[in-house]
Amino acid sequence: MTQHSIAPDPESRASAQSTEQGIGDSSAQGRGNGSEGGSWRDGELRAPGLLARSVAEGIGSFFVILAGLGATMLATETSIQPSLVFGFAVVAAMIAFGHVSGGHFNPAITFGSAIAGRLRWGSVAPYVLAQVIGAVAASGLVWLALGANAQLTGIRTFFSSASNGFGEHSPAQFPLTSAFLLEVVATALLVAVFLGAGSRRARRDLAPFAVGLTVAGLLSFLLPVTNGALNPVRATASAIFADPWALEQLWLFWAAPVIGGVIAGLVIRSTDAWGSPSITAGRSPGSAGTADARDAVDTPDAAAIPATAGTAGTAGTAGPAGTSGTAGTTEAAETTETAGTTETARPADAAAIPAQDNHSGRNDAATFFDAADEGPDSASPRSSGPTR
């Protein structure tokens, strides 16, 4: 649950500084999404260690389950709906702890982030363990608080009423197949929203609100079906202190959300792969009008590309002292120009400039780039230079 914004995970933000430690944990793959967080020290972004991130996941899970589970068991007709309480708690926890760990608080999100390449697999087990410990600690605190009230009896009944179930234990008697299918689909949507909101292309500061509202909406839909799970540790927290049937049916509320998270992770990983930039064969970097360091071609002959975009001489023969015989333009050996970028050629490479075609008045490279500059918005020297 990397890495985050949803505060981008520590691994994902550190990668931006040094090709990543890791949303969205975009860790070792260098695609930070937002699954783990970072902190500033001495002017550099330093990623929190795995222990710190796991502790943040545990504390966040504790808060979410304490607020949500307490509201589910003790809500009255005048209280806010439990689904909204869960959603608000998720928003608050992500804002508070997301910059450290990425703000998962849900094993399904953690697995989905790892599948999508936003979290290192080595962080998955510590994250999930911390989430379970935090959630069980929250339900244990609720148990102690209820048990201290002498007027309350049958505390297991409170926890059973808040537990997730199917069949005869479903609030509306939905069978296993319906419960499983809806939990898978709902969790896949939740994880997709988390990963999408934590993407580098998204407004990460709005990610907590997107995820929290999604949790609230999906829980409202699932309440009559399974009592609303979406989160395996939420189901575990109530089942431990409920009647035995809750533990017997707990497997579904681990299997369905994790499967949904894996599906969402695969989908997001596929869309990331489809949308990754690539260099078209035969095109020179910068021919599109922008200079991108990722597309730079670092070869000794890169500076030997002849002048293009209308600066190359077109009169037929090269003039002396590095000038080309043109009717108002100079230069071919000293500067090269692509569609919007100017690069100074090294003197040693001046001899590498190919001879021009006397029949057409331009060389092949110039012809290629001139054709690429003929759009209506072209600002090349050909469109504004002297008339030949």
Side-chain angles (χ1 to χ4, degrees), residues 38-376:
S39 60
W40 287 97
R41 185 189 307 169
D42 299 332
E44 294 182 0
L45 182 63
R46 300 180 183 276
L50 179 58
L51 178 60
R53 291 184 274 126
S54 299
V55 170
E57 283 294 308
I59 296 174
S61 298
F62 177 90
F63 172 70
V64 170
I65 300 304
L66 181 66
L69 197 59
T72 301
M73 291 191 292
L74 303 176
T76 64
E77 293 183 359
T78 58
S79 301
I80 300 178
Q81 290 297 315
S83 58
L84 291 178
V85 175
F86 267 110
F88 294 155
V90 168
V91 172
M94 290 182 67
I95 292 175
F97 306 108
H99 66 284
V100 178
S101 66
H104 298 189
F105 318 128
N106 185 335
I109 290 178
T110 299
F111 278 102
S113 297
I115 292 290
R118 310 261 179 104
L119 180 72
R120 292 186 178 183
W121 280 104
S123 300
V124 171
Y127 269 40
V128 173
L129 180 61
Q131 292 160 2
V132 172
I133 292 174
V136 172
S139 62
L141 179 60
V142 174
W143 172 275
L144 291 175
L146 295 179
N149 190 333
Q151 296 180 336
L152 296 178
T153 58
I155 299 178
R156 282 190 177 274
T157 304
F158 281 93
F159 280 89
S160 296
S161 66
S163 294
N164 304 112
F166 55 86
E168 62 181 3
H169 300 294
S170 166
Q173 306 294 302
F174 278 87
L176 184 153
T177 52
S178 298
F180 184 85
L181 179 62
L182 292 178
E183 284 285 344
V184 168
V185 173
T187 309
L189 293 174
L190 171 61
V191 176
V193 169
F194 178 93
L195 295 174
S199 170
R200 287 179 174 178
R201 298 184 180 91
R203 285 281 304 275
R204 291 183 179 180
D205 54 331
L206 299 179
F209 300 97
V211 177
L213 291 174
T214 301
V215 169
L218 292 175
L219 284 180
S220 298
F221 167 68
L222 290 174
L223 280 176
V225 182
T226 62
N227 214 15
L230 288 178
N231 188 340
V233 300
R234 176 262 183 271
T236 303
S238 59
I240 288 179
F241 298 98
D243 293 326
W245 66 263
L247 283 175
E248 294 173 0
Q249 296 189 351
L250 181 60
W251 66 268
L252 183 142
F253 302 103
W254 273 89
V258 168
I259 291 174
V262 169
I263 292 173
L266 291 173
V267 171
I268 296 298
R269 190 182 188 95
S270 299
T271 57
D272 285 348
W274 295 336
S276 59
S278 60
I279 303 175
T280 304
R283 291 189 63 179
S284 168
S287 63
T290 59
D292 192 335
R294 292 172 300 177
D295 296 340
V297 179
D298 188 14
T299 63
D301 296 330
I305 301 174
T308 61
T311 62
T314 58
T317 60
T323 61
S324 57
T326 63
T329 61
T330 62
E331 220 284 283
E334 294 183 357
T335 62
T336 60
E337 181 169 341
T338 59
T341 21
T342 302
E343 181 180 354
T344 302
R346 295 188 298 271
D349 294 329
I353 301 174
Q356 297 180 352
D357 183 355
N358 293 330
H359 297 288
S360 61
R362 66 183 65 180
N363 58 40
D364 293 339
T367 302
F368 173 80
F369 287 109
D370 287 345
D373 292 335
E374 291 178 355

